[in-house]
Amino acid sequence: GNSVTQMEGPVTLSEEAFLTINCTYTATGYPSLFWYVQYPGEGLQLLLKATKADDKGSNKGFEATYRKETTSFHLEKGSVQVSDSAVYFCALTTNFGNEKLTFGTGTRLTIIP
Amino acid sequence: EPEVTQTPSHQVTQMGQEVILRCVPISNHLYFYWYRQILGQKVEFLVSFYNNEISEKSEIFDDQFSVERPDGSNFTLKIRSTKLEDSAMYFCASSVGWEGYEQYFGPGTRLTVT
């Protein structure tokens, strides 16, 4: 079956620090990979995605590269801001015509000024 | 910007009671989903719904659960007889298409069963 393992939280960083949140996966078939973000009081929002090996998804300064050889999709940002404080979820779908998402546990990120 | 809404934001109920969680998907979306997250655990898929019928359901989605789109705008999740282990955050999502289309999520309903 499909599963996603992501870095345990919570993670606390100072503003302008470098961020990495690790995500690895197992999947039957060829997955598409996603990072979702949940800001306080809001729903899950798609942050970025990658649909094939070596693709890099990017948005709002965040990046993640689809690494098939290591089955990973680590989220990175070079300089975090207080407004990046949120819960981040790694997820996948397998393209068998059913787009149910398989999520990791989520990582709570807090950025302190 | 259109968004998925869910009501109530928090529901407290006693074990054995029926609850209905409500969602209003984005108006031109055709595919609907429910997920849940037990505190400290993963977000789990419950059910997908298209063309007024269930497309797929997980093993969690047993006979105690049902979904309905009663009026073309609301999408509801009913739990007939709640158990303590049903306590979780329930997320509704919708998408305009199937493969490759983004799912838009609501803010969730926190269900507490006492």
Side-chain angles (χ1 to χ4, degrees):
Chain A
N2 298 336
S3 69
V4 175
T5 302
Q6 67 179 100
M7 185 171 166
E8 293 286 329
V11 174
T12 302
L13 294 172
S14 297
E15 204 165 20
E16 298 183 3
F18 184 86
L19 168 71
T20 301
I21 301 178
N22 290 337
C23 172
T24 57
Y25 67 89
T26 57
T28 52
Y30 202 118
S32 294
L33 303 173
F34 305 83
W35 277 100
Y36 278 80
V37 59
Q38 185 179 30
Y39 299 105
E42 299 183 17
L44 296 160
Q45 300 173 24
L46 180 63
L47 180 61
L48 54 84
K49 69 178 184 181
T51 57
K52 60 183 190 296
D54 300 325
D55 268 3
K56 180 185 284 188
S58 61
N59 186 23
K60 299 181 182 180
F62 291 89
E63 293 182 340
T65 301
Y66 189 143
R67 299 286 187 203
K68 192 163 185 277
E69 64 276 14
T70 54
T71 62
S72 65
F73 193 55
H74 304 321
L75 182 69
E76 296 182 336
K77 186 174 185 183
S79 176
V80 293
Q81 306 300 312
V82 171
S83 57
D84 295 327
S85 297
V87 182
Y88 292 81
F89 295 89
C90 186
L92 66 83
T93 63
T94 48
N95 297 325
F96 294 145
N98 183 322
E99 291 297 285
K100 67 177 182 185
L101 287 156
T102 299
F103 285 91
T105 51
T107 302
R108 182 175 297 278
L109 174 66
T110 302
I111 307 300
I112 52 178
Chain B
E1 186 176 329
E3 59 183 16
V4 176
T5 59
Q6 290 185 243
T7 54
S9 56
H10 190 191
Q11 172 94 44
V12 181
T13 190
Q14 289 189 326
M15 197 166 49
Q17 295 297 303
E18 175 184 285
V19 294
I20 297 176
L21 309 184
R22 291 185 166 79
C23 169
V24 178
I26 294 173
S27 62
N28 65 330
H29 286 190
L30 301 175
Y31 298 84
F32 313 108
Y33 311 81
W34 283 101
Y35 294 83
R36 79 171 187 191
Q37 184 181 32
I38 295 171
L39 188 64
Q41 298 185 25
K42 301 185 179 195
V43 177
E44 302 171 291
F45 168 78
L46 292 178
V47 65
S48 57
F49 190 86
Y50 169 70
N51 199 26
N52 276 321
E53 59 184 29
I54 290 173
S55 303
E56 183 174 352
K57 58 184 181 180
S58 71
E59 61 273 14
I60 302 167
F61 195 89
D62 62 20
D63 291 345
Q64 292 301 309
F65 290 87
S66 62
V67 289
E68 195 177 35
R69 189 157 160 80
D71 56 13
S73 62
N74 289 282
F75 178 52
T76 61
L77 174 69
K78 181 192 291 186
I79 310 174
R80 287 191 185 81
S81 177
T82 51
K83 308 183 187 70
L84 294 176
E85 54 265 36
D86 294 328
S87 295
M89 181 73 89
Y90 288 81
F91 295 104
C92 172
S94 67
S95 65
V96 66
W98 196 233
E99 284 193 43
Y101 288 90
E102 178 181 350
Q103 292 181 30
Y104 289 80
F105 282 78
T109 292
R110 179 165 297 285
L111 176 65
T112 302
V113 182
T114 61

Short mmCIF file of all heavy atoms in Angstrom, two decimals, chain B residues 49-95:
data_model
loop_
_atom_site.label_atom_id
_atom_site.label_comp_id
_atom_site.label_asym_id
_atom_site.label_seq_id
_atom_site.Cartn_x
_atom_site.Cartn_y
_atom_site.Cartn_z
N PHE B 49 -16.75 10.91 -3.65
CA PHE B 49 -18.15 10.95 -4.08
C PHE B 49 -18.23 11.70 -5.39
O PHE B 49 -17.66 12.79 -5.53
CB PHE B 49 -18.96 11.66 -2.99
CG PHE B 49 -20.45 11.61 -3.13
CD1 PHE B 49 -21.16 10.55 -2.61
CD2 PHE B 49 -21.15 12.65 -3.73
CE1 PHE B 49 -22.55 10.51 -2.69
CE2 PHE B 49 -22.53 12.62 -3.82
CZ PHE B 49 -23.24 11.55 -3.30
N TYR B 50 -18.91 11.11 -6.36
CA TYR B 50 -19.06 11.74 -7.66
C TYR B 50 -20.37 11.30 -8.28
O TYR B 50 -20.74 10.12 -8.18
CB TYR B 50 -17.88 11.37 -8.58
CG TYR B 50 -18.07 11.76 -10.02
CD1 TYR B 50 -18.07 13.10 -10.40
CD2 TYR B 50 -18.29 10.79 -11.00
CE1 TYR B 50 -18.26 13.46 -11.73
CE2 TYR B 50 -18.48 11.15 -12.32
CZ TYR B 50 -18.47 12.48 -12.68
OH TYR B 50 -18.67 12.84 -13.98
N ASN B 51 -21.05 12.21 -8.93
CA ASN B 51 -22.27 11.88 -9.65
C ASN B 51 -23.27 11.18 -8.74
O ASN B 51 -23.91 10.19 -9.13
CB ASN B 51 -21.92 11.00 -10.85
CG ASN B 51 -23.01 11.00 -11.90
OD1 ASN B 51 -23.78 11.95 -12.02
ND2 ASN B 51 -23.09 9.92 -12.66
N ASN B 52 -23.37 11.70 -7.53
CA ASN B 52 -24.33 11.21 -6.53
C ASN B 52 -24.12 9.79 -6.07
O ASN B 52 -25.07 9.14 -5.60
CB ASN B 52 -25.77 11.36 -7.04
CG ASN B 52 -26.30 12.76 -6.80
OD1 ASN B 52 -26.03 13.35 -5.75
ND2 ASN B 52 -27.04 13.28 -7.74
N GLU B 53 -22.90 9.33 -6.18
CA GLU B 53 -22.63 8.03 -5.60
C GLU B 53 -21.18 7.96 -5.11
O GLU B 53 -20.33 8.73 -5.55
CB GLU B 53 -22.92 6.89 -6.57
CG GLU B 53 -22.15 6.94 -7.87
CD GLU B 53 -22.58 5.82 -8.81
OE1 GLU B 53 -23.74 5.38 -8.75
OE2 GLU B 53 -21.74 5.37 -9.59
N ILE B 54 -20.94 7.02 -4.21
CA ILE B 54 -19.61 6.83 -3.67
C ILE B 54 -18.71 6.22 -4.73
O ILE B 54 -19.07 5.24 -5.38
CB ILE B 54 -19.67 5.92 -2.41
CG1 ILE B 54 -20.35 6.67 -1.27
CG2 ILE B 54 -18.28 5.46 -2.02
CD1 ILE B 54 -20.61 5.81 -0.04
N SER B 55 -17.53 6.85 -4.93
CA SER B 55 -16.54 6.33 -5.88
C SER B 55 -15.63 5.33 -5.21
O SER B 55 -15.29 4.30 -5.79
CB SER B 55 -15.71 7.47 -6.45
OG SER B 55 -16.52 8.43 -7.06
N GLU B 56 -15.19 5.68 -4.01
CA GLU B 56 -14.33 4.78 -3.25
C GLU B 56 -14.50 5.09 -1.78
O GLU B 56 -14.78 6.22 -1.41
CB GLU B 56 -12.86 4.95 -3.65
CG GLU B 56 -11.93 3.97 -2.92
CD GLU B 56 -10.49 4.03 -3.40
OE1 GLU B 56 -10.22 4.72 -4.39
OE2 GLU B 56 -9.65 3.37 -2.77
N LYS B 57 -14.33 4.08 -0.95
CA LYS B 57 -14.35 4.29 0.49
C LYS B 57 -13.25 3.47 1.13
O LYS B 57 -12.86 2.43 0.61
CB LYS B 57 -15.71 3.95 1.09
CG LYS B 57 -16.15 2.53 0.83
CD LYS B 57 -17.55 2.30 1.36
CE LYS B 57 -17.99 0.86 1.11
NZ LYS B 57 -19.36 0.61 1.62
N SER B 58 -12.77 3.95 2.26
CA SER B 58 -11.72 3.24 2.97
C SER B 58 -12.36 2.25 3.94
O SER B 58 -13.57 2.24 4.16
CB SER B 58 -10.84 4.22 3.73
OG SER B 58 -11.55 4.77 4.82
N GLU B 59 -11.50 1.44 4.56
CA GLU B 59 -12.01 0.46 5.52
C GLU B 59 -12.57 1.13 6.78
O GLU B 59 -13.35 0.53 7.51
CB GLU B 59 -10.90 -0.55 5.89
CG GLU B 59 -9.68 0.04 6.54
CD GLU B 59 -8.65 0.53 5.55
OE1 GLU B 59 -8.97 0.65 4.35
OE2 GLU B 59 -7.51 0.80 5.98
N ILE B 60 -12.19 2.38 6.99
CA ILE B 60 -12.74 3.13 8.13
C ILE B 60 -14.23 3.40 7.90
O ILE B 60 -15.03 3.44 8.85
CB ILE B 60 -12.01 4.48 8.30
CG1 ILE B 60 -10.52 4.27 8.49
CG2 ILE B 60 -12.61 5.28 9.44
CD1 ILE B 60 -9.72 5.55 8.36
N PHE B 61 -14.60 3.61 6.67
CA PHE B 61 -15.95 4.05 6.30
C PHE B 61 -16.87 2.84 6.32
O PHE B 61 -17.20 2.26 5.28
CB PHE B 61 -15.91 4.69 4.92
CG PHE B 61 -17.14 5.48 4.57
CD1 PHE B 61 -17.23 6.82 4.90
CD2 PHE B 61 -18.21 4.90 3.91
CE1 PHE B 61 -18.35 7.57 4.57
CE2 PHE B 61 -19.34 5.63 3.59
CZ PHE B 61 -19.41 6.97 3.91
N ASP B 62 -17.29 2.44 7.53
CA ASP B 62 -18.15 1.26 7.67
C ASP B 62 -19.62 1.67 7.64
O ASP B 62 -19.95 2.80 7.27
CB ASP B 62 -17.79 0.49 8.95
CG ASP B 62 -18.00 1.33 10.20
OD1 ASP B 62 -18.77 2.32 10.16
OD2 ASP B 62 -17.39 0.99 11.23
N ASP B 63 -20.48 0.76 8.02
CA ASP B 63 -21.94 0.99 7.91
C ASP B 63 -22.43 2.12 8.80
O ASP B 63 -23.58 2.56 8.65
CB ASP B 63 -22.69 -0.29 8.26
CG ASP B 63 -22.50 -1.38 7.22
OD1 ASP B 63 -22.03 -1.04 6.11
OD2 ASP B 63 -22.81 -2.55 7.51
N GLN B 64 -21.62 2.55 9.73
CA GLN B 64 -22.02 3.67 10.61
C GLN B 64 -21.90 5.02 9.91
O GLN B 64 -22.42 6.01 10.39
CB GLN B 64 -21.15 3.68 11.87
CG GLN B 64 -21.39 2.50 12.80
CD GLN B 64 -22.84 2.45 13.26
OE1 GLN B 64 -23.40 3.43 13.73
NE2 GLN B 64 -23.46 1.29 13.10
N PHE B 65 -21.19 5.04 8.79
CA PHE B 65 -20.96 6.28 8.06
C PHE B 65 -21.82 6.31 6.79
O PHE B 65 -22.05 5.28 6.15
CB PHE B 65 -19.49 6.39 7.64
CG PHE B 65 -18.53 6.61 8.76
CD1 PHE B 65 -18.00 5.54 9.46
CD2 PHE B 65 -18.13 7.89 9.11
CE1 PHE B 65 -17.10 5.73 10.49
CE2 PHE B 65 -17.23 8.10 10.14
CZ PHE B 65 -16.71 7.03 10.83
N SER B 66 -22.25 7.50 6.43
CA SER B 66 -22.92 7.69 5.14
C SER B 66 -22.66 9.11 4.67
O SER B 66 -22.34 9.99 5.46
CB SER B 66 -24.42 7.42 5.23
OG SER B 66 -25.03 8.33 6.12
N VAL B 67 -22.74 9.30 3.36
CA VAL B 67 -22.57 10.62 2.77
C VAL B 67 -23.75 10.90 1.85
O VAL B 67 -24.38 9.98 1.32
CB VAL B 67 -21.25 10.78 1.99
CG1 VAL B 67 -20.06 10.82 2.92
CG2 VAL B 67 -21.09 9.68 0.95
N GLU B 68 -23.99 12.18 1.68
CA GLU B 68 -25.14 12.59 0.89
C GLU B 68 -24.89 13.98 0.34
O GLU B 68 -24.21 14.80 0.96
CB GLU B 68 -26.38 12.62 1.80
CG GLU B 68 -27.69 12.68 1.09
CD GLU B 68 -28.86 12.62 2.07
OE1 GLU B 68 -28.74 13.17 3.17
OE2 GLU B 68 -29.89 12.05 1.70
N ARG B 69 -25.46 14.21 -0.83
CA ARG B 69 -25.46 15.56 -1.39
C ARG B 69 -26.94 15.90 -1.61
O ARG B 69 -27.47 15.71 -2.69
CB ARG B 69 -24.67 15.59 -2.68
CG ARG B 69 -24.43 16.95 -3.23
CD ARG B 69 -23.21 16.93 -4.14
NE ARG B 69 -23.18 18.05 -5.06
CZ ARG B 69 -22.79 19.29 -4.74
NH1 ARG B 69 -22.42 19.54 -3.51
NH2 ARG B 69 -22.77 20.24 -5.64
N PRO B 70 -27.59 16.36 -0.58
CA PRO B 70 -29.06 16.41 -0.58
C PRO B 70 -29.66 17.46 -1.51
O PRO B 70 -30.78 17.28 -1.98
CB PRO B 70 -29.40 16.71 0.88
CG PRO B 70 -28.19 17.38 1.43
CD PRO B 70 -27.03 16.81 0.69
N ASP B 71 -28.94 18.54 -1.76
CA ASP B 71 -29.60 19.66 -2.45
C ASP B 71 -28.72 20.31 -3.51
O ASP B 71 -28.97 21.42 -3.91
CB ASP B 71 -30.05 20.70 -1.43
CG ASP B 71 -28.87 21.19 -0.58
OD1 ASP B 71 -27.72 20.90 -0.95
OD2 ASP B 71 -29.12 21.84 0.44
N GLY B 72 -27.69 19.66 -3.94
CA GLY B 72 -26.84 20.22 -4.99
C GLY B 72 -25.82 21.21 -4.51
O GLY B 72 -25.00 21.68 -5.30
N SER B 73 -25.86 21.58 -3.21
CA SER B 73 -24.82 22.48 -2.71
C SER B 73 -24.14 21.89 -1.48
O SER B 73 -22.93 21.91 -1.38
CB SER B 73 -25.39 23.86 -2.40
OG SER B 73 -26.37 23.77 -1.40
N ASN B 74 -24.92 21.32 -0.56
CA ASN B 74 -24.32 20.73 0.63
C ASN B 74 -23.81 19.32 0.36
O ASN B 74 -24.33 18.59 -0.49
CB ASN B 74 -25.35 20.68 1.75
CG ASN B 74 -25.67 22.05 2.29
OD1 ASN B 74 -24.91 22.62 3.05
ND2 ASN B 74 -26.80 22.60 1.86
N PHE B 75 -22.79 18.96 1.12
CA PHE B 75 -22.25 17.60 1.08
C PHE B 75 -22.08 17.19 2.53
O PHE B 75 -21.36 17.86 3.27
CB PHE B 75 -20.92 17.59 0.33
CG PHE B 75 -20.24 16.25 0.24
CD1 PHE B 75 -20.91 15.12 -0.21
CD2 PHE B 75 -18.90 16.13 0.57
CE1 PHE B 75 -20.28 13.90 -0.30
CE2 PHE B 75 -18.25 14.91 0.48
CZ PHE B 75 -18.94 13.79 0.05
N THR B 76 -22.79 16.15 2.96
CA THR B 76 -22.82 15.83 4.39
C THR B 76 -22.21 14.48 4.67
O THR B 76 -22.26 13.56 3.84
CB THR B 76 -24.26 15.85 4.93
OG1 THR B 76 -25.03 14.85 4.25
CG2 THR B 76 -24.92 17.21 4.74
N LEU B 77 -21.65 14.39 5.88
CA LEU B 77 -21.15 13.13 6.42
C LEU B 77 -21.96 12.84 7.67
O LEU B 77 -22.00 13.66 8.58
CB LEU B 77 -19.66 13.23 6.75
CG LEU B 77 -19.04 12.02 7.46
CD1 LEU B 77 -18.97 10.83 6.51
CD2 LEU B 77 -17.64 12.36 7.98
N LYS B 78 -22.60 11.69 7.70
CA LYS B 78 -23.38 11.29 8.86
C LYS B 78 -22.70 10.10 9.55
O LYS B 78 -22.29 9.15 8.88
CB LYS B 78 -24.81 10.89 8.46
CG LYS B 78 -25.69 10.50 9.64
CD LYS B 78 -26.98 9.84 9.21
CE LYS B 78 -27.93 10.75 8.53
NZ LYS B 78 -29.24 10.10 8.25
N ILE B 79 -22.63 10.21 10.86
CA ILE B 79 -22.20 9.07 11.66
C ILE B 79 -23.40 8.67 12.50
O ILE B 79 -23.89 9.48 13.30
CB ILE B 79 -20.99 9.41 12.56
CG1 ILE B 79 -19.88 10.07 11.74
CG2 ILE B 79 -20.47 8.14 13.23
CD1 ILE B 79 -18.71 10.56 12.58
N ARG B 80 -23.89 7.47 12.33
CA ARG B 80 -25.18 7.07 12.92
C ARG B 80 -25.11 6.91 14.43
O ARG B 80 -25.99 7.35 15.15
CB ARG B 80 -25.66 5.76 12.31
CG ARG B 80 -26.14 5.92 10.90
CD ARG B 80 -26.85 4.70 10.38
NE ARG B 80 -27.18 4.89 8.97
CZ ARG B 80 -26.33 4.71 7.98
NH1 ARG B 80 -25.11 4.32 8.22
NH2 ARG B 80 -26.70 4.93 6.73
N SER B 81 -24.09 6.27 14.91
CA SER B 81 -23.98 6.00 16.34
C SER B 81 -22.52 6.19 16.72
O SER B 81 -21.69 5.29 16.53
CB SER B 81 -24.45 4.57 16.64
OG SER B 81 -24.28 4.27 18.02
N THR B 82 -22.21 7.38 17.21
CA THR B 82 -20.81 7.74 17.40
C THR B 82 -20.15 6.91 18.50
O THR B 82 -20.78 6.52 19.49
CB THR B 82 -20.69 9.23 17.74
OG1 THR B 82 -21.59 9.54 18.82
CG2 THR B 82 -21.00 10.09 16.54
N LYS B 83 -18.85 6.69 18.30
CA LYS B 83 -18.02 5.99 19.28
C LYS B 83 -16.94 6.98 19.73
O LYS B 83 -16.66 7.97 19.06
CB LYS B 83 -17.34 4.77 18.67
CG LYS B 83 -18.27 3.79 17.95
CD LYS B 83 -17.45 2.60 17.48
CE LYS B 83 -18.26 1.67 16.60
NZ LYS B 83 -18.59 2.23 15.29
N LEU B 84 -16.34 6.66 20.86
CA LEU B 84 -15.26 7.51 21.36
C LEU B 84 -14.16 7.68 20.32
O LEU B 84 -13.60 8.77 20.16
CB LEU B 84 -14.67 6.93 22.65
CG LEU B 84 -15.58 6.91 23.87
CD1 LEU B 84 -14.89 6.21 25.03
CD2 LEU B 84 -16.01 8.31 24.27
N GLU B 85 -13.86 6.60 19.60
CA GLU B 85 -12.76 6.64 18.63
C GLU B 85 -13.11 7.42 17.36
O GLU B 85 -12.25 7.57 16.48
CB GLU B 85 -12.31 5.21 18.27
CG GLU B 85 -13.41 4.30 17.79
CD GLU B 85 -14.00 3.44 18.89
OE1 GLU B 85 -14.12 3.93 20.05
OE2 GLU B 85 -14.37 2.29 18.60
N ASP B 86 -14.33 7.91 17.25
CA ASP B 86 -14.68 8.80 16.13
C ASP B 86 -14.23 10.23 16.38
O ASP B 86 -14.33 11.08 15.48
CB ASP B 86 -16.18 8.78 15.87
CG ASP B 86 -16.67 7.43 15.37
OD1 ASP B 86 -15.91 6.74 14.67
OD2 ASP B 86 -17.82 7.06 15.71
N SER B 87 -13.78 10.52 17.59
CA SER B 87 -13.29 11.86 17.89
C SER B 87 -12.09 12.18 17.00
O SER B 87 -11.10 11.44 16.98
CB SER B 87 -12.86 11.96 19.36
OG SER B 87 -13.96 11.80 20.21
N ALA B 88 -12.21 13.26 16.23
CA ALA B 88 -11.19 13.58 15.23
C ALA B 88 -11.55 14.92 14.61
O ALA B 88 -12.63 15.46 14.82
CB ALA B 88 -11.13 12.51 14.14
N MET B 89 -10.64 15.42 13.79
CA MET B 89 -10.93 16.55 12.90
C MET B 89 -11.36 15.97 11.56
O MET B 89 -10.65 15.13 11.00
CB MET B 89 -9.70 17.43 12.74
CG MET B 89 -9.91 18.63 11.86
SD MET B 89 -10.90 19.89 12.66
CE MET B 89 -9.63 20.82 13.49
N TYR B 90 -12.49 16.41 11.05
CA TYR B 90 -13.01 15.91 9.79
C TYR B 90 -12.89 17.02 8.74
O TYR B 90 -13.38 18.13 8.92
CB TYR B 90 -14.46 15.48 9.93
CG TYR B 90 -14.59 14.19 10.72
CD1 TYR B 90 -14.54 14.21 12.11
CD2 TYR B 90 -14.73 12.97 10.07
CE1 TYR B 90 -14.63 13.02 12.85
CE2 TYR B 90 -14.82 11.78 10.80
CZ TYR B 90 -14.76 11.82 12.18
OH TYR B 90 -14.84 10.64 12.90
N PHE B 91 -12.22 16.69 7.65
CA PHE B 91 -12.01 17.64 6.56
C PHE B 91 -12.82 17.24 5.34
O PHE B 91 -12.80 16.08 4.93
CB PHE B 91 -10.54 17.69 6.14
CG PHE B 91 -9.60 18.23 7.19
CD1 PHE B 91 -8.79 17.37 7.91
CD2 PHE B 91 -9.52 19.59 7.44
CE1 PHE B 91 -7.91 17.85 8.87
CE2 PHE B 91 -8.65 20.08 8.40
CZ PHE B 91 -7.85 19.22 9.11
N CYS B 92 -13.48 18.21 4.77
CA CYS B 92 -14.16 18.03 3.49
C CYS B 92 -13.26 18.63 2.40
O CYS B 92 -12.54 19.61 2.65
CB CYS B 92 -15.49 18.78 3.54
SG CYS B 92 -16.38 18.87 1.99
N ALA B 93 -13.28 18.05 1.21
CA ALA B 93 -12.52 18.59 0.08
C ALA B 93 -13.34 18.44 -1.19
O ALA B 93 -14.21 17.58 -1.28
CB ALA B 93 -11.18 17.89 -0.06
N SER B 94 -13.03 19.29 -2.16
CA SER B 94 -13.69 19.15 -3.46
C SER B 94 -12.69 19.49 -4.56
O SER B 94 -11.70 20.18 -4.33
CB SER B 94 -14.91 20.06 -3.56
OG SER B 94 -14.56 21.43 -3.57
N SER B 95 -12.97 18.96 -5.75
CA SER B 95 -12.12 19.28 -6.91
C SER B 95 -12.99 19.36 -8.14
O SER B 95 -14.07 18.76 -8.20
CB SER B 95 -11.01 18.25 -7.09
OG SER B 95 -11.52 16.99 -7.40
#
